[in-house]
Amino acid sequence: MQSVDWLTIGLFLALVFFGWLNIYGASYTFDQTSIFDFSNRAGKQFTWILGSLFLGGVLLLIDYKTYDVLAYIAYGLMLLLLLVTPFLAHDIKGSLSWISLGPVSLQPAEFAKCIVALAVAKYMGRYEYKIRSWRDLIVPFVLIGVPAIIIMVLQKETGSALVFAAFLLVFYRQGMSGYVLWMGVAAVALFIISIRFGAIPLPLGSGSVGILTCMLLLAAVEIFFICKEHYMRWQALILVGSVAVVYGIALIVSIWVDVPFNWVSMGVVIALALYNIFVSIYWRKYMLILVALFTLFCIGYTHACDFVFTKVLQPHQRIRIEVLLGMKEDPAGAGYNVNQARIAIGSGRFLGKGYLNGTQTKLQFVPEQDTDFIFCTVGEEWGFVGSVGVLLLYLVFILRLIEIAERQRSTFTRIYAYSVASIFLFHLTINVGMVLGLLPVIGIPLPFFSYGGSSLWGFTLLLFILLRLDAARMEQLS
């Protein structure tokens, strides 16, 4: 036990304690007298906290080799549990992810993150494993993709499924090309632009502002990579000039004839992609072929975004995106939670209204104020100073996890540690961004703050397995 990282445990206890205080503040009513009253959520959370401390102690006593040996077995059992959960669960706000066990309910998806992290670490931690090409990422993507699909499709729990995207940071740390991350960013950007501006017509000719903007971005990507690989500035000037001439001619012609700018812009991108392929073969730099193929794929993807948005996404998901992007105003509907959370946070101003004095939370204006929207209670009662303090505490905690990851001698433990850090970072970013109205409302908890035993125990499982592996780092081989 002397090798256990007590600083990290101290940060864990600080986050759990402050989270507990804010759960009491969020659920407090003026006729309550004790934080230990088990009829309210703060009292119930206290029992979950005691359980998490016991769970953490048990995890520290288990032989560290157990987590490596049983990783695949636990993964298989976890998949089985995820598959049967929709048949055992009750429908809660459209989600089939909660299993009732007498007086309590548990969400298996919260524990799946830890099991997947162990399975990914075991596979990628093999001595001979290296990320040399996209083929080496097939199995890791399957390991995170299968549970994510089960949770999203069968359990209808989008937020919990999206958390598995955090593993992309782990893959990047282990050698995955940064282009994969940029591809993900590009896909999100094209989706937002095509949805937000796809219905806005151009002032001249026919076409939409959204499609034209997306095609211009794709053309810029093609020109950038062509010039980046060949180090020829004159080539960039020729390509940019050629594109400008094409659009200039189309713009002049549109004064007299209706020019379909969507088709013109697609033609420009296709021509650049074909030129990219030709140059790649000529100079034998075949990575550019992948860029060209990705660009061609994005042309179809951009035009498919509207279909996905209108036909695939659920109505409540569409309205949340529309409100976030400013396409609709729905202050009493989909935008209600975010609007009330903003009001609560803004009313706290610099120093806050004081503990248990938040009127927005006391009068129940903010839905889910002790679970997904717990951060608005921090903002209202503790103000800007308290909110920044909480974020700084999380920052120190995540940086500590990264430091733990970097000092590992075992590849298995290092990959698992980065998985833990990435999951915590993803939860923090999405939850706070959601509360502030910067990201869509997808419903994931704030680690150690949001009310709920499943999330608290899930995060405890993630952290204390890492602490046990870290305590044994001097016994492990690199």
Side-chain angles (χ1 to χ4, degrees):
M1 296 293 287
Q2 294 180 350
S3 301
V4 174
D5 193 313
W6 292 105
L7 175 58
T8 305
I9 291 181
L11 293 171
F12 160 77
L13 292 175
L15 288 168
V16 169
F17 178 73
F18 197 51
W20 180 45
L21 291 180
N22 281 277
I23 290 173
Y24 182 59
S27 58
Y28 175 81
T29 56
F30 296 107
D31 59 347
Q32 291 175 345
T33 57
S34 174
I35 194 173
F36 297 101
D37 184 354
F38 294 101
S39 64
N40 62 41
R41 288 199 161 184
K44 294 176 183 177
Q45 185 72 1
F46 181 70
T47 62
W48 290 115
I49 292 173
L50 293 179
S52 71
L53 296 177
F54 175 77
L55 175 63
V58 171
L59 293 171
L60 291 177
L61 295 175
I62 296 176
D63 188 344
Y64 75 92
K65 297 178 182 178
T66 304
Y67 302 115
D68 187 345
V69 173
L70 298 181
Y72 288 155
I73 297 175
Y75 182 83
L77 294 175
M78 179 269 299
L79 287 183
L80 181 62
L81 179 60
L82 291 178
L83 286 171
V84 302
T85 295
F87 302 99
L88 303 176
H90 299 289
D91 190 321
I92 301 177
K93 298 181 180 179
S95 173
L96 297 171
S97 60
W98 293 87
I99 298 178
S100 297
L101 300 173
V104 300
S105 296
L106 292 176
Q107 188 178 22
E110 289 294 336
F111 304 98
K113 292 173 286 191
C114 176
I115 305 302
V116 171
L118 288 172
V120 168
K122 183 174 180 64
Y123 181 81
M124 297 182 69
R126 296 176 302 158
Y127 178 75
E128 72 280 5
Y129 181 82
K130 299 289 182 182
I131 298 179
R132 301 180 184 90
S133 68
W134 62 269
R135 296 182 184 87
D136 299 313
L137 287 169
I138 293 177
V139 174
F141 271 103
V142 170
L143 288 174
I144 67 173
V146 172
I149 292 173
I150 293 174
I151 293 170
M152 179 177 290
V153 176
L154 297 183
Q155 299 185 11
K156 301 178 181 179
E157 186 66 38
T158 305
S160 298
L162 289 177
V163 173
F164 290 93
F167 285 94
L168 292 177
L169 298 176
V170 182
F171 299 162
Y172 174 69
R173 174 62 181 81
Q174 289 304 115
M176 182 184 74
S177 173
Y179 292 137
V180 177
L181 295 179
W182 280 111
M183 287 167 61
V185 173
V188 174
L190 292 175
F191 181 83
I192 292 175
I193 294 171
S194 61
I195 294 302
R196 178 63 180 86
F197 303 103
I200 300 177
L202 294 170
L204 292 174
S206 61
S208 73
V209 173
I211 297 298
L212 178 60
T213 304
C214 289
M215 293 303 108
L216 288 174
L217 289 175
L218 293 177
V221 168
E222 286 287 350
I223 295 174
F224 171 78
F225 278 101
I226 291 173
C227 301
K228 177 178 179 295
E229 291 297 319
H230 302 300
Y231 308 103
M232 298 180 183
R233 295 183 179 180
W234 60 266
Q235 196 174 39
L237 294 175
I238 293 175
L239 292 174
V240 172
S242 301
V243 172
V245 168
V246 171
Y247 279 105
I249 294 174
L251 187 62
I252 294 173
V253 174
S254 66
I255 299 176
W256 300 281
V257 181
D258 185 28
V259 176
F261 275 93
N262 285 358
W263 289 99
V264 172
S265 58
M266 281 191 291
V268 169
V269 175
I270 292 173
L272 288 171
L274 294 177
Y275 175 75
N276 203 346
I277 293 173
F278 169 77
V279 171
S280 301
I281 296 174
Y282 182 80
W283 290 98
R284 297 183 180 180
K285 294 188 176 182
Y286 300 111
M287 192 277 291
L288 291 176
I289 296 179
L290 297 179
V291 175
L293 294 177
F294 173 72
T295 305
L296 294 174
F297 166 79
C298 284
I299 295 175
Y301 167 81
T302 301
H303 288 80
C305 285
D306 182 68
F307 173 81
V308 173
F309 184 72
T310 56
K311 303 297 183 182
V312 177
L313 295 182
Q314 298 296 320
H316 69 279
Q317 295 171 328
R318 289 199 301 271
I319 190 66
R320 287 175 179 174
I321 295 175
E322 289 172 341
V323 170
L324 177 68
L325 297 180
M327 300 167 64
K328 283 187 178 180
E329 294 290 337
D330 190 18
Y336 180 79
N337 288 28
V338 174
N339 287 336
Q340 294 300 321
R342 284 175 170 175
I343 293 172
I345 293 174
S347 65
R349 299 193 177 185
F350 190 69
L351 295 175
K353 297 177 179 177
Y355 186 53
L356 302 182
N357 292 324
T359 55
Q360 294 295 119
T361 52
K362 299 302 167 293
L363 298 176
Q364 305 292 316
F365 282 113
V366 184
E368 312 294 341
Q369 61 191 20
D370 52 6
T371 53
D372 296 340
F373 283 80
I374 186 71
F375 192 73
C376 71
T377 304
V378 178
E380 182 180 19
E381 297 190 346
W382 304 89
F384 176 79
V385 173
S387 300
V388 171
V390 169
L391 294 177
L392 288 176
L393 186 59
Y394 273 114
L395 176 62
V396 173
F397 176 71
I398 292 173
L399 290 176
R400 185 63 180 175
L401 295 180
I402 295 174
E403 182 180 347
I404 291 174
E406 285 295 323
R407 72 189 184 192
Q408 300 307 311
R409 303 174 64 193
S410 163
T411 306
F412 169 80
T413 306
R414 184 174 66 251
I415 294 173
Y416 178 76
Y418 271 109
S419 299
V420 174
S422 299
I423 290 171
F424 276 108
L425 178 63
F426 188 91
H427 268 271
L428 175 65
T429 303
I430 298 299
N431 183 276
V432 175
M434 173 187 73
V435 172
L436 296 178
L438 302 176
L439 295 171
V441 178
I442 60 174
I444 62 173
L446 185 62
F448 307 129
F449 266 64
S450 296
Y451 169 80
S454 295
S455 63
L456 178 59
W457 283 17
F459 291 127
T460 301
L461 198 66
L462 272 168
L463 179 61
F464 278 83
I465 288 178
L466 171 60
L467 293 177
R468 180 63 187 96
L469 293 171
D470 175 64
R473 66 184 181 277
M474 301 308 297
E475 306 173 36
Q476 304 174 28
L477 297 176
S478 57

